[in-house]
Amino acid sequence: MKRIYLIMLVVAATMMMSCKHDNKIAGHEYVDLGLPSGLKWATCNVGAENPEESGNYYAWGETVTKDEYTEDNSLIFGLSRSELKAQGIIDEKNHLTQSYDAAAVNWGGSWRMPTSKEFGELIDNCTFERTTQNGIEVCKVTSKTNGNYIFLPITGYMSGSELVSGNGYYWSSTPNSSKNTESYFLVFNEEDGCWCSSVTDSRPDGMAVRPVSK
């Protein structure tokens, strides 16, 4: 009986180690950047198969792609934080709820969109360097703590049916507190290396999504 129990313990420990070193959540790879929060960042954007690919573009608070990204077809353009909360679009912490989170809906598991505060943590604890991955220009984001890194493609963004190129744009799950037409996003500049900031822009625009998970 003791022998069987020991075998079960060994099997369980082996399974735990396998999950820990697999570096995947719900089938998607992540990188531990040694951030103070312990947040894990995915290696690819939603809709991409490789780190250098832009993937899909989503309007803020929407979980499917579309042919045009306009104010007229935006589901939540002009809604205040109190209205977003009343309709269940954001939670008590003022972040998108699961049903309106493109990362959560499309990837499942514990994946979700980063908050504006988590973008700030990334900026404060990593360096941003313009480089190439498989011949495509990207921004290499390297941890100041453990040297691990991720690549963020220079995605551009969708306005109407046009792709506006030049920079990298990534939606957060956080709406602007004072402008009912805008939400926070991460942007970095292609020409100036990888200047990076968390600012706000119009919710109807289509931007990339890079998932995170605890």
Side-chain angles (χ1 to χ4, degrees):
M1 190 69 178
K2 288 183 178 180
R3 180 180 177 83
I4 294 175
Y5 178 70
L6 287 172
I7 292 173
M8 291 175 65
L9 284 177
V10 170
V11 171
T14 302
M15 291 177 64
M16 290 179 66
M17 289 177 65
S18 175
C19 291
K20 182 178 180 181
H21 292 101
D22 190 32
N23 285 351
K24 285 187 178 181
I25 297 172
H28 298 280
E29 293 183 354
Y30 68 83
V31 173
D32 183 354
L33 296 169
L35 301 174
S37 67
L39 194 69
K40 309 297 190 300
W41 282 77
T43 59
C44 292
N45 293 347
V46 175
E49 295 184 0
N50 299 297
E52 68 275 12
E53 297 174 358
S54 294
N56 295 337
Y57 295 84
Y58 299 93
W60 190 81
E62 300 182 23
T63 60
V64 296
T65 60
K66 48 192 180 183
D67 294 330
E68 285 192 308
Y69 296 78
T70 66
E71 293 179 10
D72 291 337
N73 66 21
S74 170
L75 300 180
I76 41 74
F77 183 73
L79 296 181
S80 66
R81 276 191 172 185
S82 59
E83 291 172 320
L84 291 170
K85 198 170 294 182
Q87 295 184 32
I89 298 172
I90 61 173
D91 57 24
E92 293 303 314
K93 295 182 178 180
N94 296 315
H95 303 139
L96 287 171
T97 55
Q98 188 173 28
S99 297
Y100 296 88
D101 184 311
V105 169
N106 288 282
W107 276 21
S110 55
W111 291 112
R112 58 175 175 79
M113 293 167 63
T115 67
S116 59
K117 182 178 179 181
E118 288 165 346
F119 274 142
E121 180 185 52
L122 187 73
I123 294 168
D124 291 341
N125 293 276
C126 297
T127 60
F128 290 73
E129 174 192 9
R130 181 179 170 184
T131 184
T132 59
Q133 171 72 1
N134 292 328
I136 299 175
E137 286 191 310
V138 296
C139 195
K140 184 179 181 180
V141 183
T142 305
S143 169
K144 297 176 183 178
T145 303
N146 61 18
N148 291 343
Y149 59 86
I150 57 173
F151 294 114
L152 294 178
I154 298 167
T155 59
Y157 69 93
M158 294 295 298
S159 179
S161 58
E162 299 296 323
L163 176 64
V164 182
S165 61
N167 300 327
Y169 299 87
Y170 292 81
W171 276 128
S172 81
S173 63
T174 311
N176 191 305
S177 59
S178 58
K179 296 182 179 180
N180 298 340
T181 59
E182 298 185 358
S183 294
Y184 286 94
F185 70 101
L186 178 76
V187 59
F188 55 83
N189 189 292
E190 177 186 15
E191 296 178 357
D192 298 333
C194 276
W195 171 82
C196 194
S197 181
S198 181
V199 292
T200 65
D201 198 16
S202 182
R203 295 173 186 168
D205 289 339
M207 296 189 190
V209 170
R210 177 59 62 95
V212 295
S213 178
K214 288 290 188 180

